Amino acid sequence: MPNRAIFEDVVEPSLARIPETELVHYETVDGVEQIVSHLVYRNVLTDFDQKLSQHMAATKGEGFPVITVLTRVCARDGAAVWKQTGRSNHATIPHALKAIGERALGEAESATVLACSCEFGGEETDRSGVERVLSRTDLETLGRVLDNARSFGEYEFLDLSGDYTLVVVQPNGIDGNPVTMDIQCGTLSAAVSDGQGFEGPLWGFTQQITEDAGARAYLARVHHALSGAKEDAILAFRAAAEERIMSFDKALQGRPLEGFRLDAAMALVARLKAGFGDSLFGLSEAAQITALEWAASIAKEGGAPYSDSREVGAPMGAEIRPSAAAA
């Protein structure tokens, strides 16, 4: 399964979500002014899924999304009747902000986005908070920031946060101040404990890497630390998978895979195949044979795709109710 299918069909039912912020802008549709609310949530994976995500990032370049955005609309005048219109998943907060900004701009050259200070996900239509006027240039610069950040490694190995004015990146395993990318000033800077930092323009970062000794040295340190973090991630998931397989096999106590046991086996096998491939190479022989026997039993029983068994976890629309999200 692709990462998206694994996340939506297998991982999503078992994660928790923390409200982060609400961003609001206004649109006119068929002459009716609407409030468009974007509720931004941080996804909290189980320990096993977190290890799987890091393993996938290390081996395939992409793990599971950290941020989910629920979008809803309501007429600006009249009763507060909100309608959910979509949701999207994103690698980081800045990725989500870029997507929201692009929705707010549409075909215009600028748009106002409100970061709300009211209770998260409230049903009322009145909104208060900090206004930010976004331009197309702002979003292009934010896109450049995200490209620059990716130069330091996969997003799963970066502590990346920020807003429409400033993004900070802390590469895994690097001591000292994070990399600061100032969207308003168009500058990028980094400082480390031994003084081997650098500073330069956002749009000239690629060239700076080839010309600036400080930038080359910093990036080399980042990539060295990243290699170690990836190796640790692979070993951590391998150990966790071995333990998970043996624990599940013990819990089965020889009972057949049916009903809720079949659902659980399907979910575990899907996770294992996402990490190790269909052959499950990388596991010990005992763990590999055990899990492959489950996979064969699932196929023999005609196990439906896991997406058809989502009753084991609430769908997004049910698990996030704007009026109760902050409770």
Side-chain angles (χ1 to χ4, degrees):
M1 284 188 186
N3 281 18
R4 178 178 176 181
I6 286 290
F7 178 76
E8 293 180 353
D9 294 342
V10 181
V11 173
E12 196 168 34
S14 61
L15 59 75
R17 286 191 166 95
I18 299 173
E20 285 278 339
T21 188
E22 180 184 13
L23 298 178
V24 169
H25 62 92
Y26 302 100
E27 293 180 357
T28 300
V29 179
D30 295 331
V32 178
E33 190 171 24
Q34 295 183 331
I35 305 171
V36 183
S37 164
H38 304 277
L39 304 173
V40 182
Y41 295 84
R42 182 170 298 277
N43 299 328
V44 182
L45 303 174
T46 65
D47 182 67
F48 188 69
D49 286 334
Q50 178 63 39
K51 287 183 171 65
L52 171 57
S53 180
Q54 292 267 305
H55 179 278
M56 294 172 69
T59 58
K60 301 178 181 179
E62 182 183 11
F64 297 133
V66 174
I67 301 297
T68 293
V69 178
L70 173 66
T71 300
R72 55 188 186 144
V73 300
C74 178
R76 192 169 185 179
D77 296 327
V81 179
W82 291 96
K83 178 182 178 182
Q84 181 177 331
T85 59
R87 65 185 173 96
S88 56
N89 297 310
H90 305 275
T92 68
I93 281 279
H95 283 87
L97 295 180
K98 184 174 183 292
I100 292 170
E102 289 171 346
R103 164 72 184 267
L105 253 68
E107 300 297 323
E109 289 301 315
S110 66
T112 299
V113 174
L114 185 68
C116 295
S117 58
C118 62
E119 180 182 359
F120 183 88
E123 294 289 348
E124 70 281 357
T125 57
D126 291 336
R127 288 291 185 267
S128 62
V130 178
E131 286 189 352
R132 168 70 183 174
V133 178
L134 297 178
S135 68
R136 199 160 296 281
T137 299
D138 290 332
L139 295 185
E140 290 173 355
T141 305
L142 180 54
R144 171 58 60 176
V145 164
L146 294 174
D147 289 342
N148 289 344
R150 186 61 179 78
S151 300
F152 299 113
E154 288 78 2
Y155 296 116
E156 289 77 10
F157 295 100
L158 304 175
D159 184 2
L160 193 152
S161 61
D163 54 27
Y164 289 115
T165 63
L166 189 75
V167 172
V168 294
V169 182
Q170 182 67 65
N172 191 296
I174 298 296
D175 296 329
N177 296 326
V179 179
T180 301
M181 291 184 266
D182 193 318
I183 295 173
Q184 290 183 317
C185 297
T187 58
L188 179 152
S189 62
V192 292
S193 55
D194 62 4
Q196 291 186 353
F198 61 94
E199 185 174 358
L202 280 176
W203 290 92
F205 180 60
T206 303
Q207 182 177 358
Q208 187 176 13
I209 292 174
T210 63
E211 298 178 354
D212 188 302
R216 290 199 306 272
Y218 183 85
L219 204 59
R221 293 182 61 177
V222 167
H223 289 168
H224 177 74
L226 180 64
S227 295
K230 287 182 176 181
E231 182 177 348
D232 290 344
I234 291 170
L235 295 175
F237 179 65
R238 188 175 296 170
E242 297 266 349
E243 181 180 356
R244 189 71 164 246
I245 290 168
M246 295 312 176
S247 295
F248 185 60
D249 189 49
K250 182 178 179 180
L252 284 175
Q253 297 180 338
R255 288 172 292 191
L257 295 179
E258 57 186 19
F260 60 87
R261 288 188 293 273
L262 177 62
D263 280 341
M266 289 170 62
L268 178 54
V269 169
R271 286 173 164 91
L272 295 172
K273 287 187 175 183
F276 299 111
D278 289 346
S279 63
L280 303 186
F281 287 145
L283 292 170
S284 68
E285 290 81 359
Q288 182 186 28
I289 290 170
T290 302
L292 287 175
E293 286 178 346
W294 295 336
S297 296
I298 291 168
K300 183 178 179 181
E301 293 296 324
Y306 192 74
S307 58
D308 292 340
S309 302
R310 292 200 62 178
E311 64 271 15
V312 299
M316 179 71 171
E319 88 183 24
I320 294 183
R321 291 182 291 273
S323 60

